Amino acid sequence: MVDRGASALSLPDDWPAHPDPILALNRMGSFDWDLDSGQFHMDARAHEIFDLRPDEYDGNPASLAVRVPPAEGTRLDELVSQAIKDGSENYGAYFRMRLRDGTLRWTHTQGCIRRDDIGRPRRIVGIVRDATDELSDLAARRDEAALDDARREQTNVVQLTTAALAHARTVQDVIDVLKDTHGLTHLGATSLVMGLVEAGRIRLIAEGPEGSFVPGTLVTRIDEPYPMSEVVRTLTPRFIESPEEFAGGYPVLWPHLTDLKITSAAYLPLIVQARPIGAMGLLYSDRRGFTTEERNILVALGSSIAQSLQRAMFYEQEKDIAQGLQQAMLPRTIPSVPGADVAVRYRAATIGGSLGRDIGGDWYDLIPLPGGRVGAVIGDVQGHDTHAAAVMGQLRIVLRAYAAEGHTPATVMARASVFLHELDTDRFATCLYAEADLSTGVVQVVRAGHIDPLLRSPDGTCRRISVPGGLPLGLSAEFGSLQYPVGTVELDPGHTLLLCTDGLVEKPGADVDDGMRALAAMVAAGPADVRKLADQLIEVAEEQGGDDDVALLLLRRRGPDSPQAGSRLQQHVAPGDPEALTEARHMIRAAVRAWGARDRSDEIELVADEVITNALMHTEGSAIVTLRALTGGERRLRVEVEDSSSALPRRREAGESGVSGRGLLLVDLLTDAWGVEARGGGKCVWCEFVVREDRRREDRRRRT
């Protein structure tokens, strides 16, 4: 302390000051420091505090150096000097002193600086007291406050983690929550390991930090000497508080963890309904030991994690069953279709933005039919659950059965609606059924509350095909409206028909028409190959997410091996229009000769004339005459005459004059095949002729 030295000046009359008895009652000692003389007077209590007997102290402040360590003395001198210099009236400080036995004790001093009339410091009167208990209490309070802060932080992490776990749907979601920066790492853990109990073994599902995997621990037996195995066996947490304890308790595992600098670990059994479903380990690299509060928090957290894992496991099991059911309901393979390229895709729904999948009722199907025809089906059963998948499977089966029986597309749809209505369910379904004759390119489309198909041309343009529709399946039967209009689409070689469910079109807050335009633009910009195009569309659906599943079917009609110009010609013939009938005859004659069927020209013209005349005579509307060159196998020419009457042609006996009654007889005699098929509200009579290449054309080709 500062040694002011002796002074020749006389001491003040009131020096030394007499302490108030209250100081003694508060276990305080007093001092009176005369700055002029340098004398530092202490009362008896102050001597006790400094652990000095009266005969050991001579009133010189320097004599206190035996009790005040040099560093503390320097700090006090600087404090007093600064207070005197800046005109302060008071100062105070805590300092340590060394007692007679060598121990250090905290002491507190306060001084009041007295000055004369001109402001010169003359005396310092103050107190000293033992501050050991005070600072011990303060340190204890600080420690308790720090412990409370840590406890609140840990509790907050537990609450946040528990809240996040409430939204975890899958086991991977649970692991992601725990590994998140706001997860268990805030409890001080360096890494996390976790395993699930399966058939008496523990399968590791979270391996800790990169590079920390221990060979042979991916699947371990419960009786092996590992901490996770131990907590599963005993159903008791295992807290490892030092590296030495880890090495001694688990000598097989410890050598693999030395590079991770692990200092402690907490292994917790994950228990649900008194049964272990797994175990979790938290590894620490900056702490040793666990307080009682920390252990309790970790045990409570383990219980919450176990409940979340159990929910996630149940969800995944249900999802696997549902998806297995749906996959079983969908066709395992799509049959190859001569003359066409087909691609199908299915994407399960993503519910709530999660990576997990949900079951749905969307489906597709491709049905081979007699005569080179094929039926394409796309549909969507209401709902996203196993019941929707089960109804979907039954609908797919009955639609396939009705189509295979040879019913018209409208009848197929009507019967399917009746079936769904009579089924023990309150679900309805939208559906679109397209029956395509790949030899002619004629596609008959029936729509039951479903979105329209799209048609892409070889040049890349894509447009929406507006198809008249009826009520969804189930509802049309309930309301007695089983009439389904049939639309007709011409699928020329190189054209692609796209059928899809609304999950590919509908977006929250967006109009369906806007979605259809966006899809058409996407298809137009996509690759020509149907498989690549299907992959691209599904990838876009994956990126956009959505809470609805998606089914997709693409059917592209392949062109002939040797393309022919004008492989389809068409003429509209109105009743009472002889010029149109003459033009149709000329069209047929010219096309037959141009296509190298000169040998059968007369037969084709005669049959076509007969069928066209019958259509005009026995119906009230016009006729549409189409002539097609068919490829694939033997070459054929096909004549189609379409009218608005649903009445089927029938044979009649020739009259007495012999003028009529021989029409169908001629058709049957001169054609290689003929038949009648429904077209919308009317019918189409078709006739096919097998032709050989014209001999002159063949000779010309050989010469070249």
Side-chain angles (χ1 to χ4, degrees), residues 111-123:
C112 176
I113 303 173
R114 294 184 178 180
R115 304 175 187 270
D116 57 18
D117 295 339
I118 62 174
R120 187 166 63 92
R122 304 298 302 273
R123 297 169 61 186

PDB file of all heavy atoms in Angstrom, residues 111-123:
ATOM      1  N   GLY A 111     -13.285   3.442   1.728  1.00  0.00           N
ATOM      2  CA  GLY A 111     -12.674   4.613   2.351  1.00  0.00           C
ATOM      3  C   GLY A 111     -13.354   5.897   1.936  1.00  0.00           C
ATOM      4  O   GLY A 111     -13.846   6.016   0.812  1.00  0.00           O
ATOM      5  N   CYS A 112     -13.355   6.873   2.869  1.00  0.00           N
ATOM      6  CA  CYS A 112     -13.916   8.203   2.608  1.00  0.00           C
ATOM      7  C   CYS A 112     -12.763   9.205   2.686  1.00  0.00           C
ATOM      8  O   CYS A 112     -12.094   9.318   3.723  1.00  0.00           O
ATOM      9  CB  CYS A 112     -14.993   8.530   3.635  1.00  0.00           C
ATOM     10  SG  CYS A 112     -15.675  10.189   3.459  1.00  0.00           S
ATOM     11  N   ILE A 113     -12.524   9.909   1.613  1.00  0.00           N
ATOM     12  CA  ILE A 113     -11.400  10.852   1.515  1.00  0.00           C
ATOM     13  C   ILE A 113     -11.854  12.226   2.017  1.00  0.00           C
ATOM     14  O   ILE A 113     -12.793  12.813   1.475  1.00  0.00           O
ATOM     15  CB  ILE A 113     -10.910  10.949   0.055  1.00  0.00           C
ATOM     16  CG1 ILE A 113     -10.499   9.569  -0.471  1.00  0.00           C
ATOM     17  CG2 ILE A 113      -9.751  11.930  -0.046  1.00  0.00           C
ATOM     18  CD1 ILE A 113     -10.158   9.557  -1.946  1.00  0.00           C
ATOM     19  N   ARG A 114     -11.177  12.702   3.079  1.00  0.00           N
ATOM     20  CA  ARG A 114     -11.513  14.016   3.636  1.00  0.00           C
ATOM     21  C   ARG A 114     -10.486  15.036   3.154  1.00  0.00           C
ATOM     22  O   ARG A 114      -9.279  14.782   3.160  1.00  0.00           O
ATOM     23  CB  ARG A 114     -11.529  13.956   5.156  1.00  0.00           C
ATOM     24  CG  ARG A 114     -12.661  13.055   5.683  1.00  0.00           C
ATOM     25  CD  ARG A 114     -12.718  13.077   7.199  1.00  0.00           C
ATOM     26  NE  ARG A 114     -13.826  12.265   7.688  1.00  0.00           N
ATOM     27  CZ  ARG A 114     -14.102  12.114   8.993  1.00  0.00           C
ATOM     28  NH1 ARG A 114     -13.333  12.693   9.911  1.00  0.00           N
ATOM     29  NH2 ARG A 114     -15.118  11.383   9.357  1.00  0.00           N
ATOM     30  N   ARG A 115     -10.993  16.193   2.750  1.00  0.00           N
ATOM     31  CA  ARG A 115     -10.136  17.236   2.198  1.00  0.00           C
ATOM     32  C   ARG A 115     -10.287  18.513   3.031  1.00  0.00           C
ATOM     33  O   ARG A 115     -11.291  18.723   3.726  1.00  0.00           O
ATOM     34  CB  ARG A 115     -10.503  17.491   0.731  1.00  0.00           C
ATOM     35  CG  ARG A 115     -10.435  16.226  -0.130  1.00  0.00           C
ATOM     36  CD  ARG A 115     -10.934  16.505  -1.540  1.00  0.00           C
ATOM     37  NE  ARG A 115     -11.022  15.251  -2.299  1.00  0.00           N
ATOM     38  CZ  ARG A 115     -10.042  14.743  -3.015  1.00  0.00           C
ATOM     39  NH1 ARG A 115      -8.879  15.389  -3.080  1.00  0.00           N
ATOM     40  NH2 ARG A 115     -10.195  13.619  -3.667  1.00  0.00           N
ATOM     41  N   ASP A 116      -9.285  19.412   2.932  1.00  0.00           N
ATOM     42  CA  ASP A 116      -9.359  20.689   3.651  1.00  0.00           C
ATOM     43  C   ASP A 116     -10.139  21.696   2.812  1.00  0.00           C
ATOM     44  O   ASP A 116     -10.738  21.335   1.790  1.00  0.00           O
ATOM     45  CB  ASP A 116      -7.956  21.206   3.984  1.00  0.00           C
ATOM     46  CG  ASP A 116      -7.093  21.375   2.741  1.00  0.00           C
ATOM     47  OD1 ASP A 116      -7.676  21.428   1.611  1.00  0.00           O
ATOM     48  OD2 ASP A 116      -5.857  21.428   2.852  1.00  0.00           O
ATOM     49  N   ASP A 117     -10.064  22.960   3.252  1.00  0.00           N
ATOM     50  CA  ASP A 117     -10.880  23.978   2.596  1.00  0.00           C
ATOM     51  C   ASP A 117     -10.477  24.223   1.151  1.00  0.00           C
ATOM     52  O   ASP A 117     -11.293  24.639   0.326  1.00  0.00           O
ATOM     53  CB  ASP A 117     -10.788  25.302   3.375  1.00  0.00           C
ATOM     54  CG  ASP A 117     -11.401  25.174   4.773  1.00  0.00           C
ATOM     55  OD1 ASP A 117     -12.211  24.232   4.956  1.00  0.00           O
ATOM     56  OD2 ASP A 117     -11.074  25.985   5.645  1.00  0.00           O
ATOM     57  N   ILE A 118      -9.242  23.961   0.839  1.00  0.00           N
ATOM     58  CA  ILE A 118      -8.800  24.203  -0.533  1.00  0.00           C
ATOM     59  C   ILE A 118      -8.826  22.930  -1.364  1.00  0.00           C
ATOM     60  O   ILE A 118      -8.337  22.890  -2.492  1.00  0.00           O
ATOM     61  CB  ILE A 118      -7.389  24.812  -0.539  1.00  0.00           C
ATOM     62  CG1 ILE A 118      -6.395  23.834   0.094  1.00  0.00           C
ATOM     63  CG2 ILE A 118      -7.366  26.159   0.155  1.00  0.00           C
ATOM     64  CD1 ILE A 118      -4.962  24.311  -0.010  1.00  0.00           C
ATOM     65  N   GLY A 119      -9.374  21.829  -0.794  1.00  0.00           N
ATOM     66  CA  GLY A 119      -9.555  20.591  -1.539  1.00  0.00           C
ATOM     67  C   GLY A 119      -8.385  19.639  -1.471  1.00  0.00           C
ATOM     68  O   GLY A 119      -8.366  18.613  -2.184  1.00  0.00           O
ATOM     69  N   ARG A 120      -7.409  19.923  -0.589  1.00  0.00           N
ATOM     70  CA  ARG A 120      -6.267  19.027  -0.488  1.00  0.00           C
ATOM     71  C   ARG A 120      -6.641  17.844   0.384  1.00  0.00           C
ATOM     72  O   ARG A 120      -7.198  18.029   1.469  1.00  0.00           O
ATOM     73  CB  ARG A 120      -5.088  19.775   0.092  1.00  0.00           C
ATOM     74  CG  ARG A 120      -3.787  18.968   0.090  1.00  0.00           C
ATOM     75  CD  ARG A 120      -2.602  19.883   0.362  1.00  0.00           C
ATOM     76  NE  ARG A 120      -2.692  20.487   1.670  1.00  0.00           N
ATOM     77  CZ  ARG A 120      -2.136  19.961   2.778  1.00  0.00           C
ATOM     78  NH1 ARG A 120      -1.471  18.834   2.708  1.00  0.00           N
ATOM     79  NH2 ARG A 120      -2.259  20.586   3.932  1.00  0.00           N
ATOM     80  N   PRO A 121      -6.372  16.591  -0.060  1.00  0.00           N
ATOM     81  CA  PRO A 121      -6.718  15.415   0.757  1.00  0.00           C
ATOM     82  C   PRO A 121      -5.878  15.377   2.023  1.00  0.00           C
ATOM     83  O   PRO A 121      -4.646  15.548   1.961  1.00  0.00           O
ATOM     84  CB  PRO A 121      -6.412  14.240  -0.169  1.00  0.00           C
ATOM     85  CG  PRO A 121      -5.424  14.749  -1.146  1.00  0.00           C
ATOM     86  CD  PRO A 121      -5.737  16.200  -1.332  1.00  0.00           C
ATOM     87  N   ARG A 122      -6.542  15.163   3.157  1.00  0.00           N
ATOM     88  CA  ARG A 122      -5.837  15.143   4.445  1.00  0.00           C
ATOM     89  C   ARG A 122      -5.946  13.790   5.141  1.00  0.00           C
ATOM     90  O   ARG A 122      -4.972  13.318   5.715  1.00  0.00           O
ATOM     91  CB  ARG A 122      -6.413  16.229   5.362  1.00  0.00           C
ATOM     92  CG  ARG A 122      -6.378  17.620   4.766  1.00  0.00           C
ATOM     93  CD  ARG A 122      -4.949  18.064   4.501  1.00  0.00           C
ATOM     94  NE  ARG A 122      -4.143  18.043   5.677  1.00  0.00           N
ATOM     95  CZ  ARG A 122      -4.046  19.085   6.550  1.00  0.00           C
ATOM     96  NH1 ARG A 122      -4.711  20.208   6.310  1.00  0.00           N
ATOM     97  NH2 ARG A 122      -3.274  19.015   7.608  1.00  0.00           N
ATOM     98  N   ARG A 123      -7.115  13.176   5.060  1.00  0.00           N
ATOM     99  CA  ARG A 123      -7.324  11.908   5.788  1.00  0.00           C
ATOM    100  C   ARG A 123      -8.200  10.966   4.944  1.00  0.00           C
ATOM    101  O   ARG A 123      -8.973  11.404   4.104  1.00  0.00           O
ATOM    102  CB  ARG A 123      -8.030  12.155   7.129  1.00  0.00           C
ATOM    103  CG  ARG A 123      -7.259  12.994   8.095  1.00  0.00           C
ATOM    104  CD  ARG A 123      -8.144  13.404   9.257  1.00  0.00           C
ATOM    105  NE  ARG A 123      -8.660  12.256  10.010  1.00  0.00           N
ATOM    106  CZ  ARG A 123      -9.549  12.378  10.989  1.00  0.00           C
ATOM    107  NH1 ARG A 123     -10.056  13.572  11.284  1.00  0.00           N
ATOM    108  NH2 ARG A 123      -9.953  11.312  11.638  1.00  0.00           N
TER     109      ARG A 123
END
